PDB file of all heavy atoms in Angstrom:
ATOM      1  N   GLY A 198      -5.735   1.684  18.903  1.00 83.00           N
ATOM      2  CA  GLY A 198      -6.918   1.977  19.702  1.00 83.00           C
ATOM      3  C   GLY A 198      -6.651   2.196  21.178  1.00 83.00           C
ATOM      4  O   GLY A 198      -7.561   2.121  21.994  1.00 83.00           O
ATOM      5  N   GLU A 199      -5.411   2.467  21.532  1.00 85.00           N
ATOM      6  CA  GLU A 199      -5.088   2.677  22.953  1.00 85.00           C
ATOM      7  C   GLU A 199      -5.186   4.153  23.320  1.00 85.00           C
ATOM      8  O   GLU A 199      -4.904   4.536  24.440  1.00 85.00           O
ATOM      9  CB  GLU A 199      -3.662   2.192  23.256  1.00 85.00           C
ATOM     10  CG  GLU A 199      -3.421   0.747  22.917  1.00 85.00           C
ATOM     11  CD  GLU A 199      -3.721  -0.189  24.087  1.00 85.00           C
ATOM     12  OE1 GLU A 199      -3.073  -0.064  25.119  1.00 85.00           O
ATOM     13  OE2 GLU A 199      -4.626  -1.029  23.930  1.00 85.00           O
ATOM     14  N   GLY A 200      -5.500   4.976  22.318  1.00 91.00           N
ATOM     15  CA  GLY A 200      -5.580   6.419  22.575  1.00 91.00           C
ATOM     16  C   GLY A 200      -4.229   7.008  22.911  1.00 91.00           C
ATOM     17  O   GLY A 200      -4.110   7.921  23.731  1.00 91.00           O
ATOM     18  N   ASP A 201      -3.183   6.495  22.255  1.00 95.00           N
ATOM     19  CA  ASP A 201      -1.833   6.971  22.561  1.00 95.00           C
ATOM     20  C   ASP A 201      -1.635   8.422  22.117  1.00 95.00           C
ATOM     21  O   ASP A 201      -2.255   8.892  21.165  1.00 95.00           O
ATOM     22  CB  ASP A 201      -0.790   6.085  21.846  1.00 95.00           C
ATOM     23  CG  ASP A 201      -0.305   4.965  22.758  1.00 95.00           C
ATOM     24  OD1 ASP A 201       0.018   5.285  23.908  1.00 95.00           O
ATOM     25  OD2 ASP A 201      -0.282   3.810  22.307  1.00 95.00           O
ATOM     26  N   ARG A 202      -0.762   9.107  22.864  1.00 97.00           N
ATOM     27  CA  ARG A 202      -0.406  10.500  22.531  1.00 97.00           C
ATOM     28  C   ARG A 202       1.116  10.569  22.438  1.00 97.00           C
ATOM     29  O   ARG A 202       1.810  10.359  23.431  1.00 97.00           O
ATOM     30  CB  ARG A 202      -0.976  11.452  23.585  1.00 97.00           C
ATOM     31  CG  ARG A 202      -2.505  11.539  23.524  1.00 97.00           C
ATOM     32  CD  ARG A 202      -3.102  12.382  24.627  1.00 97.00           C
ATOM     33  NE  ARG A 202      -2.964  11.766  25.929  1.00 97.00           N
ATOM     34  CZ  ARG A 202      -3.746  10.799  26.404  1.00 97.00           C
ATOM     35  NH1 ARG A 202      -4.759  10.363  25.683  1.00 97.00           N
ATOM     36  NH2 ARG A 202      -3.537  10.295  27.594  1.00 97.00           N
ATOM     37  N   PHE A 203       1.581  10.830  21.217  1.00 98.00           N
ATOM     38  CA  PHE A 203       3.016  10.759  20.911  1.00 98.00           C
ATOM     39  C   PHE A 203       3.683  12.125  21.036  1.00 98.00           C
ATOM     40  O   PHE A 203       3.150  13.115  20.523  1.00 98.00           O
ATOM     41  CB  PHE A 203       3.216  10.313  19.456  1.00 98.00           C
ATOM     42  CG  PHE A 203       3.043   8.839  19.206  1.00 98.00           C
ATOM     43  CD1 PHE A 203       1.938   8.145  19.672  1.00 98.00           C
ATOM     44  CD2 PHE A 203       3.986   8.152  18.458  1.00 98.00           C
ATOM     45  CE1 PHE A 203       1.775   6.794  19.417  1.00 98.00           C
ATOM     46  CE2 PHE A 203       3.833   6.806  18.185  1.00 98.00           C
ATOM     47  CZ  PHE A 203       2.726   6.120  18.669  1.00 98.00           C
ATOM     48  N   VAL A 204       4.849  12.153  21.649  1.00 98.00           N
ATOM     49  CA  VAL A 204       5.659  13.371  21.619  1.00 98.00           C
ATOM     50  C   VAL A 204       6.425  13.366  20.290  1.00 98.00           C
ATOM     51  O   VAL A 204       7.244  12.473  20.055  1.00 98.00           O
ATOM     52  CB  VAL A 204       6.685  13.412  22.785  1.00 98.00           C
ATOM     53  CG1 VAL A 204       7.438  14.741  22.775  1.00 98.00           C
ATOM     54  CG2 VAL A 204       5.996  13.192  24.120  1.00 98.00           C
ATOM     55  N   GLY A 205       6.151  14.317  19.441  1.00 98.00           N
ATOM     56  CA  GLY A 205       6.833  14.390  18.141  1.00 98.00           C
ATOM     57  C   GLY A 205       8.103  15.206  18.257  1.00 98.00           C
ATOM     58  O   GLY A 205       8.184  16.323  17.746  1.00 98.00           O
ATOM     59  N   ALA A 206       9.088  14.627  18.969  1.00 96.00           N
ATOM     60  CA  ALA A 206      10.316  15.392  19.230  1.00 96.00           C
ATOM     61  C   ALA A 206      11.426  15.053  18.251  1.00 96.00           C
ATOM     62  O   ALA A 206      12.308  15.869  18.006  1.00 96.00           O
ATOM     63  CB  ALA A 206      10.803  15.122  20.657  1.00 96.00           C
ATOM     64  N   MET A 207      11.403  13.836  17.702  1.00 95.00           N
ATOM     65  CA  MET A 207      12.469  13.468  16.760  1.00 95.00           C
ATOM     66  C   MET A 207      12.172  14.154  15.423  1.00 95.00           C
ATOM     67  O   MET A 207      11.040  14.124  14.942  1.00 95.00           O
ATOM     68  CB  MET A 207      12.545  11.949  16.598  1.00 95.00           C
ATOM     69  CG  MET A 207      12.953  11.204  17.852  1.00 95.00           C
ATOM     70  SD  MET A 207      14.545  11.723  18.534  1.00 95.00           S
ATOM     71  CE  MET A 207      15.671  10.655  17.652  1.00 95.00           C
ATOM     72  N   PRO A 208      13.179  14.761  14.818  1.00 95.00           N
ATOM     73  CA  PRO A 208      12.922  15.587  13.637  1.00 95.00           C
ATOM     74  C   PRO A 208      12.402  14.792  12.432  1.00 95.00           C
ATOM     75  O   PRO A 208      12.801  13.646  12.224  1.00 95.00           O
ATOM     76  CB  PRO A 208      14.294  16.197  13.331  1.00 95.00           C
ATOM     77  CG  PRO A 208      15.291  15.425  14.097  1.00 95.00           C
ATOM     78  CD  PRO A 208      14.583  14.774  15.243  1.00 95.00           C
ATOM     79  N   LEU A 209      11.554  15.439  11.662  1.00 97.00           N
ATOM     80  CA  LEU A 209      10.938  14.774  10.510  1.00 97.00           C
ATOM     81  C   LEU A 209      11.894  14.639   9.328  1.00 97.00           C
ATOM     82  O   LEU A 209      11.549  14.027   8.332  1.00 97.00           O
ATOM     83  CB  LEU A 209       9.664  15.517  10.088  1.00 97.00           C
ATOM     84  CG  LEU A 209       8.496  15.398  11.066  1.00 97.00           C
ATOM     85  CD1 LEU A 209       7.320  16.273  10.629  1.00 97.00           C
ATOM     86  CD2 LEU A 209       8.036  13.943  11.186  1.00 97.00           C
ATOM     87  N   TYR A 210      13.075  15.222   9.415  1.00 96.00           N
ATOM     88  CA  TYR A 210      14.043  15.020   8.335  1.00 96.00           C
ATOM     89  C   TYR A 210      14.917  13.794   8.606  1.00 96.00           C
ATOM     90  O   TYR A 210      15.892  13.540   7.910  1.00 96.00           O
ATOM     91  CB  TYR A 210      14.923  16.267   8.117  1.00 96.00           C
ATOM     92  CG  TYR A 210      15.708  16.719   9.324  1.00 96.00           C
ATOM     93  CD1 TYR A 210      16.907  16.111   9.662  1.00 96.00           C
ATOM     94  CD2 TYR A 210      15.231  17.745  10.136  1.00 96.00           C
ATOM     95  CE1 TYR A 210      17.613  16.504  10.779  1.00 96.00           C
ATOM     96  CE2 TYR A 210      15.934  18.153  11.261  1.00 96.00           C
ATOM     97  CZ  TYR A 210      17.122  17.519  11.571  1.00 96.00           C
ATOM     98  OH  TYR A 210      17.823  17.899  12.682  1.00 96.00           O
ATOM     99  N   HIS A 211      14.573  13.049   9.634  1.00 95.00           N
ATOM    100  CA  HIS A 211      15.314  11.842   9.990  1.00 95.00           C
ATOM    101  C   HIS A 211      14.359  10.645   9.960  1.00 95.00           C
ATOM    102  O   HIS A 211      13.187  10.791  10.292  1.00 95.00           O
ATOM    103  CB  HIS A 211      15.927  12.017  11.384  1.00 95.00           C
ATOM    104  CG  HIS A 211      16.921  10.960  11.717  1.00 95.00           C
ATOM    105  ND1 HIS A 211      16.562   9.772  12.282  1.00 95.00           N
ATOM    106  CD2 HIS A 211      18.260  10.906  11.529  1.00 95.00           C
ATOM    107  CE1 HIS A 211      17.641   9.033  12.442  1.00 95.00           C
ATOM    108  NE2 HIS A 211      18.687   9.689  11.996  1.00 95.00           N
ATOM    109  N   THR A 212      14.880   9.465   9.615  1.00 96.00           N
ATOM    110  CA  THR A 212      13.991   8.295   9.488  1.00 96.00           C
ATOM    111  C   THR A 212      13.249   7.988  10.785  1.00 96.00           C
ATOM    112  O   THR A 212      12.092   7.553  10.764  1.00 96.00           O
ATOM    113  CB  THR A 212      14.783   7.058   8.957  1.00 96.00           C
ATOM    114  OG1 THR A 212      13.863   6.006   8.701  1.00 96.00           O
ATOM    115  CG2 THR A 212      15.863   6.588   9.923  1.00 96.00           C
ATOM    116  N   ILE A 213      13.893   8.224  11.924  1.00 95.00           N
ATOM    117  CA  ILE A 213      13.223   7.942  13.190  1.00 95.00           C
ATOM    118  C   ILE A 213      12.017   8.861  13.398  1.00 95.00           C
ATOM    119  O   ILE A 213      10.933   8.412  13.753  1.00 95.00           O
ATOM    120  CB  ILE A 213      14.233   8.068  14.355  1.00 95.00           C
ATOM    121  CG1 ILE A 213      15.080   6.798  14.427  1.00 95.00           C
ATOM    122  CG2 ILE A 213      13.548   8.311  15.680  1.00 95.00           C
ATOM    123  CD1 ILE A 213      14.283   5.524  14.617  1.00 95.00           C
ATOM    124  N   GLY A 214      12.220  10.154  13.165  1.00 97.00           N
ATOM    125  CA  GLY A 214      11.115  11.100  13.361  1.00 97.00           C
ATOM    126  C   GLY A 214       9.962  10.812  12.423  1.00 97.00           C
ATOM    127  O   GLY A 214       8.791  10.936  12.794  1.00 97.00           O
TER     128      GLY A 214
END
Side-chain angles (χ1 to χ4, degrees):
E199 303 270 299
D201 266 313
R202 291 175 291 280
F203 282 49
V204 184
M207 295 303 272
L209 290 175
Y210 58 82
H211 192 273
T212 187
I213 281 302

